[in-house]
């Protein structure tokens, strides 16, 4: 009872602090030009939080709101390029290995997205920015299209970045944040967070991390031409623009993603996109889930991947496992059900899109089969639903490795698993109560914070609006070798070698002088020979 009262008092105090720190409603531009729904979800929720708090937000994206939202104005790019929703096939996964991933995403989600600056909406912001009132702040995703960082410089306002995952290898340096390869595993390496990395792992982590950084800089350098073309020659370079963030929100939290050094300008807000709204399930979904008295398994590989493009051998392995766990039911996200092989079990219901949070919150959902996207994992934790993962690319290997170490997930290889592996994983998660207990315990740890992630967003946005760019790390003004103190170590090494050399010369000179002196003394003492 005492803890409950304390919690209520802290909530009231926090609310008072947040409200007392309110700035007058600002006009904020949100730039989310990537045509991937999973990347937009986080930015969308942050902009809605700010709109609800009295700010006027203009949001550039491919996903306009279906219903009007107070203080929220869509600047829609919808239809300008192909929507990536339900548009990634199995064949494409073969080209997304850790080595080839950066060149692939730098082109498809970076250079190609920069071409959208020619869109009339974005050109209008550049050529005729609003003046009554003007923009006070720009919020932009930090991923692979740094060309969009030029908008804040052009509009002469502070810039807040948004990272939808943990901080990736190429982002640390530009934010003045230490890499810490000795104990922080890279997002693309699949290395473990638990325990101390041995020498081979630290070597791999360091080599992979530096390779990925160099790849990113190399493959995004071509974006300079878009800045020159649309913002004019003489504009700061991509690298310079990438260091100008007043603040960065990161969709992570140390309880899940591990202890790592963060500068004061980097704020962890993991789980901020999960809003406890009153949205209801459609009648057919509500009926299906309510009727799942023996439990239901929800299976989705995210907004982009089409599970129906997987090999028939893989899909049939899914089918066999689904039959074996009946009467447990399955909700299966499929882009196009007609492309599935025949024989879909009767205990499976499919759709091209599901309201994921509402489904996971249903009391009869007992397991979540996922590709390991961070948003889905956070939603699963929030709903206390254990996980079976099939990581496909990028940080998904890392995400699921973390969940396995917390003992509320089982991870399988999507192109090597056998039907028995999947069946055993399903039965383990469904029947072994420890998985559900572990995720429930972790939920309490994850959300044990001084203020909620939503209130944290409000406070820090207001902080930047009040004080501007004062949290920026001074490390961004240094070259990489200066940050790593290589010039200092080189000077110390040179000085040490020089001192050793001087000592050697002096010793050698003294040795020669002493030798000559002894020789002279011996010559004086030795009697002359008689003739």
């Amino acid at each position: 009872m005492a803890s409950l009262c304390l919690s209520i008092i802290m909530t009231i105090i926090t609310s008072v602090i947040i409200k007392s720190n309110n700035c007058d409603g600002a006009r904020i531009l949100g730039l989310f030009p990537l045509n991937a729904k999973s990347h937009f979800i986080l930015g969308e929720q942050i902009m809605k939080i700010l709109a609800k708090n009295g700010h006027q937000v203009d949001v550039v994206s491919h996903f306009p709101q279906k219903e009007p939202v107070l203080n929220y104005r869509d600047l829609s790019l919808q239809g300008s390029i192909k929507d990536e929703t339900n548009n990634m096939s199995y064949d494409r996964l073969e080209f997304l290995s850790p080595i080839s991933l950066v060149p692939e995403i730098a082109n498809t989600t970076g250079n190609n997205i920069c071409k959208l600056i020619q869109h009339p909406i974005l050109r209008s912001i550049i050529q005729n920015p609003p003046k009554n009132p003007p923009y006070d702040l720009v919020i932009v995703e930090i991923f692979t299209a740094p060309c969009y960082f030029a908008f804040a410089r052009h509009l002469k306002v502070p810039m807040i970045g948004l990272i939808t995952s943990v901080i990736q290898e190429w982002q640390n340096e530009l934010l003045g944040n230490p890499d810490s390869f000795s104990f922080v595993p890279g997002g693309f390496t699949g290395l473990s967070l638990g325990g101390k990395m041995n020498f081979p792992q630290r070597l791999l982590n360091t080599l992979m991390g530096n390779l990925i950084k160099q790849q990113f800089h190399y493959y995004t350098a071509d974006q300079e031409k878009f800045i020159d073309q649309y913002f004019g020659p003489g504009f700061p370079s991509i690298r310079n623009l990438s260091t100008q963030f007043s603040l960065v929100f990161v969709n992570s939290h140390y309880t899940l993603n591990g202890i790592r050094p963060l500068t004061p300008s980097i704020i962890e807000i993991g789980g901020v996109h999960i809003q406890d709204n009153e949205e209801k399930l459609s009648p057919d979904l509500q009926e299906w889930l309510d009727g799942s008295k023996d439990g239901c398994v929800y299976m989705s590989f995210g907004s982009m991947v089409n599970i129906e493009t997987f090999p028939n051998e893989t899909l049939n392995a899914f089918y066999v496992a689904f039959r074996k766990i009946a009467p447990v039911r399955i909700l299966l996200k499929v882009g196009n059900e007609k492309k599935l092989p025949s024989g879909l079990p009767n205990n499976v219901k499919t759709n091209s899109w599901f309201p994921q949070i509402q489904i996971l919150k249903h009391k009869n959902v007992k397991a979540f089969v996922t590709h390991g996207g961070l948003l889905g994992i956070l939603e699963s934790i929030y709903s206390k639903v254990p996980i079976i993962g099939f990581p496909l690319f990028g940080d998904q290997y890392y995400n699921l490795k973390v969940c396995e170490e917390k003992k509320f997930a089982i991870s399988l290889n999507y192109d090597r698993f056998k039907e028995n592996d999947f069946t055993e994983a399903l039965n383990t998660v469904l029947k072994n109560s420890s998985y559900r207990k572990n995720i429930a315990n972790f939920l309490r740890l994850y959300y044990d914070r001084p203020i909620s992630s939503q209130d944290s967003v409000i406070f820090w946005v207001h902080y930047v609006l009040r004080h501007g760019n004062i949290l920026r790390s001074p490390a961004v003004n240094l070259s990489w070798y200066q940050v790593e103190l290589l010039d200092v170590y080189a000077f110390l090494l040179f000085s040490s070698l020089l001192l050793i050399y001087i000592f050697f010369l002096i010793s050698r000179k003294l040795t020669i002088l002493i030798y000559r002196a002894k020789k002279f003394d011996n010559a004086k003492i030795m009697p002359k020979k008689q003739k």
Side-chain angles (χ1 to χ4, degrees), residues 214-226:
Q214 295 308 313
Q215 280 185 314
F216 174 79
H217 294 318
Y218 176 80
Y219 287 104
T220 58
D222 198 41
Q223 294 180 20
E224 297 277 2
K225 67 183 181 185
F226 297 107

Side-chain angles (χ1 to χ4, degrees), residues 40 42 64 87 113-114 154 168 181 199 212 253 266 275 315 336 379 405 430 465 488 502:
F40 176 60
L42 192 65
N87 204 29
I113 299 301
C114 287
H154 177 72
Q168 299 295 346
F181 290 132
F199 175 76
I212 287 171
H253 193 257
I266 297 175
Q275 304 292 314
L315 294 173
N336 187 346
E379 291 159 10
E405 290 171 354
L430 290 170
L465 289 169
V488 173
I502 292 171

